[in-house]
Amino acid sequence: MKTVLVVAGCVLLAAPAFAAGAPTFSKDVAPILYKNCVECHRPTAMAPMSLVTYEDARPWARAIRQKVVARQMPPWGADPAIGRFANDVSLKQADVDTIAAWVDGGAPEGNRAELPKVPQFAEGWSIGTPDYVFTMQKPFSVPADGTVPYVYITVPTNLKQDVWIRAVELKPTDRRVVHHIISTLVEGNGTTPDPDPKLTRDPARKEIGGGLGGLVPGRLYGEFEEGVARKIPAGADIVLQMHYTTIGQPVTDRTEIGVVLAKEPPAKLRLEAGGAIPNMQFAIPPGDPNYEVVGQQKFDRDTYLNSLYPHMHVRGKDATYTIIYPDGREEVVLRVPKYDFNWQLSYKLAEPKFMPKGSTLKVTMHYDNSAANRYNPDPTATVRWGEQTWEEMMLGYYGTIELPGSTATRTKQRQQQ
């Protein structure tokens, strides 16, 4: 809203007229942005613009309003009617209303004296000083423009004995060129792995369930709950699935993985583990707007379900995780009604779900291969499993917390279309 002045026949635009009682940036909006947004929206971080200062945020006011009202920012895909999650970054309705009222009221700055202290982010490691740092053997050159295919980079740990960690952080050289990283632990092969990146995983190398987590927009690091640790076996290698994005200038990346060791002996720790439920036996027909693919896994031990991470490509539409208990009772623990390939999120349960021996974790995903899907590269194609974005995947990653002393193993994964 602007005030119009007429002086000697000339029309002049004066300073914006702010609505009386409108929220201000300093007092009302900055606290919301500092808590929920500036982790990414700050200089040198991953987001395309900073929202730290009023001067940063004011030009984007209308776009901010649009994104938060549409629930597109901060990115969070879980159905709010199902379950509670410890890492839920979605805004409360009151916060959305405050931002909308600020913009509708002319987006005033307010009194700078009311501005809260700007959050401080660690320049080095967010988890503190790591006990081990594992580094890519060779740097990867990200070009200035174009599309960079996914690459798989093996990072040796060279560990001589098993270690248990309580925190992990994946730290690229420049986060602006890394959309996401997915890590996998694989058994060592007794030789120094080939440091050159690959376009596909090596199927000859056995994966160890759980990996070391990942890096996605909005999440910086992972520290486990008190008394929970994850095991890195002696000699294991880390395979990083790297999704690089170009930013208009060439960048060299040499990602590091820092870990902090658990303080307690392994016998007293709950082990964070997990795995993936895949289904590779699908063929999505041309034009199908709602093709269903299902995968499931039965557990032969008591365990606690702790986190969930669905993975599809650009035809991915929605994902649902369901626990089927031994007595036949079913419980939906996560539903992502609008899956977004650009925001691949992990959902950490506020309270781990106990799954008694004989429980089954079922993952149901739907795909939109129609012309109505604006991300669909070819609605005339029959789409099958593949590593490339124009192909598809069905992977239901999950994390569990195991009880001390548990030696049971998972039953063979079952796939079902």
Side-chain angles (χ1 to χ4, degrees):
M1 182 187 311
K2 292 183 180 292
T3 301
V4 179
L5 301 178
V6 179
V7 180
C10 297
V11 177
L12 304 176
L13 292 179
F18 302 123
T24 68
F25 179 85
S26 296
K27 181 180 179 181
D28 306 293
V29 174
I32 299 172
L33 300 181
Y34 289 0
K35 179 181 178 181
N36 301 281
C37 306
V38 300
E39 183 178 48
C40 292
H41 286 274
R42 56 189 171 89
T44 74
M46 187 151 189
M49 81 288 287
S50 173
L51 300 178
V52 174
T53 69
Y54 178 73
E55 289 75 17
D56 291 336
R58 179 61 183 86
W60 300 97
R62 291 184 181 179
I64 294 169
R65 184 193 193 285
Q66 178 184 14
K67 292 295 184 180
V68 300
V69 169
R71 294 288 181 177
Q72 295 174 336
M73 285 287 162
W76 183 253
D79 185 338
I82 298 174
R84 296 185 303 109
F85 299 90
N87 62 333
D88 186 348
V89 295
S90 61
L91 293 181
K92 297 178 181 178
Q93 187 59 49
D95 293 337
V96 174
D97 294 342
T98 295
I99 291 174
W102 172 64
V103 178
D104 294 343
E109 179 180 13
N111 184 355
R112 288 197 177 189
E114 296 180 312
L115 190 71
K117 184 178 179 181
V118 177
Q120 299 299 308
F121 295 92
E123 292 296 329
W125 296 94
S126 300
I127 56 174
T129 304
D131 293 297
Y132 289 98
V133 177
F134 311 115
T135 307
M136 286 168 46
Q137 297 179 86
K138 291 172 59 176
F140 184 88
S141 297
V142 182
D145 49 40
T147 300
V148 182
Y150 281 23
V151 291
Y152 294 83
I153 298 175
T154 299
V155 180
T157 66
N158 297 317
L159 290 171
K160 304 303 181 184
Q161 60 184 17
D162 297 347
V163 298
W164 281 260
I165 64 170
R166 63 177 177 85
V168 59
E169 181 175 354
L170 284 73
K171 189 174 73 168
T173 304
D174 188 337
R175 286 204 65 184
R176 295 178 300 166
V177 298
V178 178
H179 181 272
H180 74 257
I181 306 173
I182 299 174
S183 73
T184 306
L185 285 172
V186 299
E187 290 185 346
N189 60 5
T191 62
T192 301
D194 185 346
D196 292 326
K198 305 299 181 185
L199 293 179
T200 59
R201 294 184 179 91
D202 183 353
R205 304 195 68 188
K206 182 180 178 181
E207 294 188 5
I208 304 168
L212 288 179
L215 179 75
V216 295
R219 299 291 90 195
L220 292 177
Y221 60 94
E223 188 168 356
F224 311 146
E225 297 96 334
E226 187 70 27
V228 174
R230 177 167 292 183
K231 178 182 176 181
I232 305 179
D237 293 330
I238 304 167
V239 176
L240 303 178
Q241 180 201 78
M242 305 293 300
H243 180 184
Y244 288 111
T245 57
T246 57
I247 60 171
Q249 65 185 69
V251 174
T252 298
D253 175 61
R254 197 170 186 183
T255 291
E256 298 176 303
I257 306 104
V259 300
V260 176
L261 297 180
K263 298 178 181 178
E264 297 180 276
K268 293 185 178 181
L269 293 169
R270 295 174 293 158
L271 178 64
E272 181 166 281
I277 301 174
N279 184 340
M280 303 171 70
Q281 308 303 316
F282 59 83
I284 307 174
D288 194 319
N290 198 45
Y291 187 78
E292 181 174 289
V293 183
V294 177
Q296 60 185 34
Q297 179 175 310
K298 189 174 183 178
F299 292 80
D300 67 352
R301 71 201 186 284
D302 292 349
T303 191
Y304 289 85
L305 183 65
N306 190 47
S307 61
L308 308 158
Y309 166 42
H311 177 69
M312 297 176 277
H313 290 173
V314 295
R315 293 174 176 87
K317 184 177 181 181
D318 59 62
T320 302
Y321 283 72
T322 305
I323 300 174
I324 305 174
Y325 294 99
D327 61 4
R329 180 172 55 93
E330 298 189 8
E331 180 182 9
V332 176
V333 290
L334 171 69
R335 183 171 181 267
V336 179
K338 294 181 179 179
Y339 176 83
D340 188 344
F341 176 72
N342 296 304
W343 295 104
Q344 301 188 42
L345 306 178
S346 177
Y347 302 90
K348 187 174 183 179
L349 298 173
E351 295 290 340
K353 288 283 184 181
F354 177 64
M355 296 195 301
K357 177 181 177 180
S359 297
T360 296
L361 185 59
K362 176 182 175 182
V363 183
T364 305
M365 297 181 178
H366 291 96
Y367 299 81
D368 183 356
N369 194 24
S370 73
N373 177 2
R374 65 191 181 100
Y375 299 109
N376 192 347
D378 185 3
T380 68
T382 298
V383 184
R384 295 179 172 84
W385 176 279
E387 297 280 353
Q388 301 301 327
T389 305
W390 58 85
E391 299 169 311
E392 266 305 335
M393 284 189 173
M394 187 282 184
L395 278 167
Y397 289 102
Y398 65 89
T400 58
I401 295 178
E402 308 299 337
L403 299 176
S406 174
T407 58
T409 59
R410 294 196 306 272
T411 56
K412 184 178 180 181
Q413 293 180 156
R414 295 192 300 167
Q415 299 176 3
Q416 171 183 323
Q417 185 168 347

